[in-house]
Every structure is written in structure tokens, then in C-alpha cells.
Amino acid sequence: MSHTIAIDGYSACGKSTLAKAMAKQLGYRYIDTGAMYRMVTLFFQRQSVDIEDEGAVAGALSGLEVDFVPGSNDALLNGENVEAEIRTLTVSRFVSPVAAIPAVRRAMVAQQRRMGADGSVVMDGRDIGTVVFPEADLKLFVTADLTIRTDRRLAELGASGKAPDRAAVAENLTERDRIDSTRADSPLKQAEDAIVLDNSALDLSAFIERGMALARAIPS
Ligand code: CDP
Ligand code: CDP
């Protein structure tokens, strides 16, 4: 029997780290929906798409294929590995306005549902438990304090050799959370039946163990 685990929450709060670890331990497929919106954003930036122009958005969406490399899960945009490029602040600064466009969401949600129909999945994002899979077997809503999230994201960007300043990262996280929570279509919000996991004071292994304990309690 296949199962769906939905993980939503704020920017850089540990969703994908948790989702990846749980998928690995459970033998489920992991799907990073944030990477999908980031790929759309990169494509729109490269094509200089005017996001106010519905026709231009529809045209660009018809020429775009987003997928993942089997095994590594690297982001694949029209067959090109763009994993590093989609994580830059250039893409992070533009992604929330792009992800607020209803036509973009319709295309991504349809693909996410197809990916989730193939077997057991752990999917992370902003609207997985509320919109993509409202019937998910387990819904987690992850949070952590903004200062902690900023430090963690800064460390990640620094490790890839491109460390922007702290204020720029904090501002990007705050601004994305604001746009994501207030957009009309599928805003970021906790599903009524989601379990909140605040990991501000939890190290990675304790955090993952919390998630795994909840997953093990899913009736088979
Ligand atoms: O990893 P981080 O928390 O920084 O962001 P992400 O999960 O890669 O998502 C990037 C952006 O994509 C978010 O800020 C949202 O604007 C958008 N997103 C969305 O609208 N819906 C989703 N299911 C996932 C991401
Ligand atoms: O997917 P999302 O943007 O929500 O966050 P992430 O990329 O999974 O996590 C951001 C960073 O926080 C990663 O480097 C994680 O290893 C780190 N993290 C941590 O150090 N302790 C936790 N309890 C959760 C995440």
C-alpha cells in the first residue's frame, strides 16, 4: 500500500533535509516542490518573461519541462542539470512572485499529483498538505526561529562558495514568507490536521527522529 507524507513550512526551516532523510529511511520517493518553482523561475529569468503578461507566461510554460535526476534528485530543467543555479539568491529573490501566478501553480500541482500517484512519496513545499495532497497520510508543518533559519541558510550558501551578507539572506527569507503566506492562490498555511514541528532547539538527528516516529505510527 502506498503512502503520502506532506511536509510544509517556512523558508529554510529544514523541510527538505527532513523530507530527504525520511524518504531514504522509508524507501519512499522524495519530491522537492520548491525546486520545481525555482526551475520555472530560472527559465523565466533566462527567457526574460514578463510575469504580468498572461500570454507570455502560458507560452513559456508550454516550453518548459521540469524533472529530477533519478538517484541524486538534482533539478533538471529541459534536460539540463540546474541544481546549483536554482539555489542562488538571484533565483530566491524572484521565486515567490513567480510561484504566486495561478497558471504556474496549476502546471506544477498537476505534475506533483502525477509524481505522487506512482507510489509512496515524501513531498515538501508550501501547499502540499492543503492543496496538492489534502488526503495525505501524515502532514507535518515545520517552523524554526528566523535568526536560526538565517544562520543555517547562510552556512549552506557559504559552503557552496557564494556567501551573501546576512542581512540579504534574512530579508529574502522574510520577504518570501510574507509573499507566500499572503498570496491569493494556495497560500502557505498550516493544514488543520498537520502536526507542528518547531526545530529551533532540535539538532538534526533529533528532528529527523521526531518525523520518523510519526511516520512509523501511520497505519499500514
Ligand atoms: O528551500 P527554501 O525554503 O528556501 O525554499 P523552497 O522550498 O526551495 O521554495 C522556494 C519558493 O517556491 C518558496 O518561497 C515559494 O514561493 C515557492 N513554493 C511554493 O509556492 N509552493 C511550494 N509547494 C513549494 C515552493
Ligand atoms: O527545505 P528548507 O528550505 O525548509 O530547509 P533545509 O534546506 O532542509 O534546511 C536548511 C539548513 O538547516 C540545512 O543546512 C539543514 O541541515 C539545517 N538544519 C539544521 O541544522 N538543524 C535542523 N534541526 C534542521 C535543519
Side-chain angles (χ1 to χ4, degrees):
M1 188 173 166
S2 61
H3 290 301
T4 305
I5 298 178
I7 303 183
D8 291 302
Y10 297 100
S11 307
C13 63
K15 300 178 301 296
S16 58
T17 307
L18 177 67
K20 253 181 243 169
M22 288 177 67
K24 193 166 177 211
Q25 291 189 36
L26 293 163
Y28 293 5
R29 179 169 182 199
Y30 164 58
I31 297 164
D32 177 352
T33 66
M36 297 170 75
Y37 291 97
R38 286 173 179 273
M39 283 191 262
V40 176
T41 303
L42 177 63
F43 188 71
F44 282 15
Q45 285 178 321
R46 284 178 174 179
Q47 308 276 320
S48 303
V49 174
D50 173 2
I51 64 167
E52 307 291 336
D53 179 342
E54 280 182 28
V57 167
L61 283 172
S62 69
L64 159 121
E65 204 180 295
V66 306
D67 207 343
F68 296 97
V69 177
S72 71
N73 264 326
D74 281 0
L76 266 188
L77 170 61
N78 289 342
E80 176 190 349
N81 188 322
V82 290
E83 179 61 31
E85 212 175 333
I86 59 164
R87 307 290 166 192
T88 60
L89 209 48
T90 314
V91 170
S92 297
R93 285 201 173 109
F94 197 47
V95 64
S96 289
V98 170
I101 301 170
V104 169
R105 302 207 70 79
R106 271 197 303 279
M108 292 304 109
V109 169
Q111 185 170 350
Q112 288 152 15
R113 288 186 179 141
R114 283 195 298 274
M115 289 168 148
D118 285 349
S120 291
V121 290
V122 184
M123 194 175 282
D124 83 305
R126 302 294 186 287
D127 61 341
I128 312 305
T130 51
V131 173
V132 183
F133 290 116
E135 308 299 327
D137 299 282
L138 173 65
K139 299 181 188 178
L140 302 177
F141 192 85
V142 184
T143 70
D145 295 344
L146 178 65
T147 44
I148 292 170
R149 291 192 275 133
T150 304
D151 288 342
R152 290 174 180 165
R153 182 50 49 91
L154 208 52
E156 279 179 320
L157 291 166
S160 68
K162 300 181 197 81
D165 67 84
R166 192 172 196 291
V169 172
E171 192 205 323
N172 177 257
L173 299 184
T174 310
E175 183 61 3
R176 279 199 286 130
D177 288 344
R178 186 188 67 74
I179 298 173
D180 295 344
S181 306
T182 56
R183 67 185 174 216
D185 187 342
S186 318
L188 163 64
K189 64 167 191 249
Q190 191 190 321
E192 271 175 24
D193 50 350
I195 296 164
V196 178
L197 286 185
D198 184 333
N199 64 52
S200 306
L202 284 182
D203 69 17
L204 263 186
S205 59
F207 175 48
I208 292 165
E209 188 39 45
R210 286 272 174 94
M212 282 303 298
L214 293 164
R216 284 191 287 264
I218 297 175
S220 54

